[in-house]
Amino acid sequence: MKIYDVCNDYSLELSEHTELPAGYRWLEREVTINGQYVKAKLGYDKTHNELSFFATYSEAKLDGQYI
């Protein structure tokens, strides 16, 4: 699984995490990025309800892409 940090402008940056971090609410969604459908888990901070992580098994290179 690849885990990306979601930046302030909603771009993706490959994360140092190798597993889904605890303390986040994870929602499964199918999103479209550059015309590709990608199944993903979106990690929302439980305290601030902010989107913080984007996790996927997709082999697509998503670093620098916007969601």
Side-chain angles (χ1 to χ4, degrees), residues 7-37:
C7 300
N8 289 340
D9 62 354
Y10 293 99
S11 64
L12 300 176
E13 184 177 289
L14 195 58
S15 179
E16 295 177 0
H17 292 280
T18 56
E19 296 181 9
L20 297 178
Y24 292 86
R25 182 171 41 97
W26 294 94
L27 302 175
E28 291 190 27
R29 296 286 186 261
E30 189 170 289
V31 296
T32 305
I33 299 177
N34 286 343
Q36 300 180 66
Y37 288 101

Side-chain angles (χ1 to χ4, degrees), residues 31-47:
V31 296
T32 305
I33 299 177
N34 286 343
Q36 300 180 66
Y37 288 101
V38 179
K39 288 187 178 181
K41 291 186 177 186
L42 304 176
Y44 288 87
D45 184 295
K46 288 181 180 178
T47 305

